[in-house]
Amino acid sequence: MKEKLEQLRAQALDSLKGIKDKKGLDELRIKIMGKKGQLTEILRGMGALPAEERPKIGQLVNRIRQELEERFGEVEAEIEERLKKERLAFETVDITMPGKKRRTGGLHPLSSVLEVLIDIFVSMGFDVVDGPEVETDYYNFEALNVPKDHPARDTQDTFYLTDKFLLRTQTSSAQIRVMENRKPPIRIISPGRVYRADEVDATHSPVFHQVEGLVVDRGITMCDLKGVLEQFAREIYGPETKVRFRPSFFPFTEPSVEVDVSCGECGGQGCRVCKDAGWIEILGAGMVHPNVLAGCGIDPEIYSGFAFGIGLDRLTTTRHKISDIRLLFENDLRFLEQFS
Ligand code: PHE
């Protein structure tokens, strides 16, 4: 019996060495010390021993059980320690690893050029106002001295939504809304989208952007118009820039001009950016027509003003040497990321 016990002990200790996880450990524990385990089995046989042997064997059994329990406990602690180490190793943050790069957004070139432009006009005392893109015929045409059947309507192919509503073809509609709601002195710019039923090509898009400007006060003259617009052109294109005023026609201004700047790329020699003209047309402008002032309740005998409409897309493509206006609307990130 003693031998059997020693053998069991030796076997158990041996098996313990091969145990790798808790499941294996529990199984072994049950196999040896469980209710139907090997040690229990041997104990049952004690009844057959002579009486004087029993206490000795009893002691031995207890010693072995105690020893095995200690060893089991140690192995269990080892397993737990190893699991903990593995978990910590897995959860450890390696601070020497390179960080994850996050892509940050950037302003669209139209937005960043608009910001520059707004800064220039705000520094000259202008307010920035918003106007609706869905307009009535009245604000887009009639109040701007373009009555029904006026030929000027044909030059701006209009998207009509209903008989009454249309997509504005020009930000000039914002002039009327401002003059209806403010008393002179007025000094505003109003940037926004405008729409015309144009075929898409490298220089045309059915949606594009204008920045309207309006100044109304006592004694405003063509000199003020020239001064403000020359200053604007030099700030945006550089101090060397030459500015040219050409006579033009708009129904809501009289006299009217178109304003060109010398091409900053070739200095006026002619190149790809200015299409060999040496000049780039950037805006239309003029003295606000007395009919327009009067229609908004501003007495043209007392007040006068000038207005201008800047083509923001043109400004952006020439400033950044972008050859095709469609790039501004396609939102291809490979293109846009060059500006952020
Ligand atoms: N609204 C005109 C256009 O779209 C531009 C303009 C604005 C002209 C203001 C004169 C005054 O062509």
Side-chain angles (χ1 to χ4, degrees):
M1 186 137 209
K2 203 178 150 199
E3 265 163 40
K4 262 196 190 166
L5 280 168
E6 289 296 352
Q7 210 182 352
L8 179 66
R9 172 181 170 271
Q11 259 176 19
L13 290 177
D14 203 45
S15 309
L16 255 181
K17 281 186 201 145
I19 295 297
K20 293 268 173 290
D21 55 17
K22 276 205 162 164
K23 191 166 164 259
L25 188 72
D26 285 341
E27 277 166 11
L28 187 64
R29 183 183 269 137
I30 289 166
K31 192 171 143 210
I32 295 166
M33 293 184 291
K35 266 190 201 151
K36 291 178 184 159
Q38 292 164 336
L39 194 64
T40 326
E41 191 88 342
I42 294 173
L43 273 175
R44 287 220 183 91
M46 275 201 8
L49 289 177
E52 68 273 17
E53 295 256 336
R54 277 184 216 161
K56 268 204 248 158
I57 295 295
Q59 266 178 358
L60 182 61
V61 168
N62 281 340
R63 224 184 53 229
I64 291 177
R65 187 202 293 281
Q66 207 180 345
E67 184 191 355
L68 286 179
E69 253 157 23
E70 270 170 28
R71 280 297 298 143
F72 269 90
E74 279 166 27
V75 171
E76 183 163 6
E78 276 165 25
I79 290 172
E80 260 164 21
E81 185 64 17
R82 205 188 61 231
L83 284 178
K84 195 167 121 193
K85 274 199 185 128
E86 277 172 12
R87 210 178 54 233
L88 286 179
F90 177 73
E91 288 173 357
T92 299
V93 177
D94 181 353
I95 57 166
T96 65
M97 296 261 285
K100 281 196 188 111
K101 257 215 173 129
R102 294 209 185 272
R103 279 153 61 116
T104 48
L107 284 181
H108 191 283
L110 280 172
S111 303
S112 58
V113 171
L114 178 59
E115 279 197 355
V116 172
L117 192 149
I118 286 175
D119 279 352
I120 294 172
F121 282 105
V122 166
S123 76
M124 291 197 259
F126 284 69
D127 285 346
V128 182
V129 302
D130 217 4
E133 290 172 28
V134 173
E135 268 295 9
T136 60
D137 185 274
Y138 177 77
Y139 286 101
N140 195 77
F141 291 124
E142 197 130 355
L144 287 161
N145 204 27
V146 187
K148 295 228 155 47
D149 304 320
H150 191 287
R153 292 193 180 207
D154 299 337
T155 63
Q156 301 190 353
D157 288 318
T158 311
F159 285 117
Y160 282 92
L161 301 174
T162 63
D163 280 350
K164 198 166 162 229
F165 292 107
L166 47 81
L167 293 175
R168 66 178 177 189
T169 61
Q170 49 188 354
T171 45
S172 300
S173 51
Q175 285 184 37
I176 306 303
R177 292 183 175 275
V178 168
M179 285 190 278
E180 281 180 352
N181 292 309
R182 293 196 189 191
K183 301 233 165 317
I186 293 169
R187 231 184 281 155
I188 60 98
I189 58 169
S190 185
R193 290 192 195 93
V194 298
Y195 301 84
R196 290 183 200 176
D198 275 334
E199 289 295 327
V200 178
D201 65 25
T203 53
H204 292 87
S205 161
V207 51
F208 56 103
H209 303 78
Q210 291 185 333
V211 181
E212 196 74 13
L214 175 70
V215 173
V216 181
D217 202 353
R218 288 170 196 263
I220 297 290
T221 71
M222 194 84 183
C223 282
D224 299 300
L225 177 156
K226 280 190 78 177
V228 166
L229 294 178
E230 274 174 1
Q231 177 64 17
F232 159 70
R234 285 198 204 102
E235 287 207 38
I236 202 134
Y237 282 105
E240 307 302 315
T241 308
K242 289 199 275 297
V243 184
R244 179 170 86 172
F245 293 80
R246 281 182 290 112
S248 185
F249 173 80
F250 300 103
F252 37 90
T253 49
E254 180 60 33
S256 302
V257 291
E258 273 171 310
V259 178
D260 303 333
V261 293
S262 55
C263 177
E265 183 61 13
C266 62
Q269 312 298 92
C271 70
R272 208 168 49 93
V273 173
C274 60
K275 304 219 161 56
D276 290 330
W279 296 91
I280 297 167
E281 184 194 320
I282 56 164
L283 60 88
M287 301 306 293
V288 181
H289 197 291
N291 288 355
V292 175
L293 291 173
C296 297
I298 295 174
D299 187 347
E301 297 296 328
I302 302 173
Y303 294 103
S304 57
F306 69 87
F308 54 90
I310 301 168
L312 185 63
D313 311 84
R314 201 59 183 312
L315 212 66
T316 306
T317 53
T318 53
R319 211 177 136 93
H320 288 299
K321 301 190 196 91
I322 297 166
S323 56
D324 193 322
I325 192 180
R326 283 170 287 200
L327 289 165
L328 294 178
F329 300 100
E330 282 164 356
N331 287 332
D332 184 335
L333 282 180
R334 292 167 302 177
F335 168 75
L336 294 178
E337 276 168 351
Q338 300 174 62
F339 302 92
S340 60

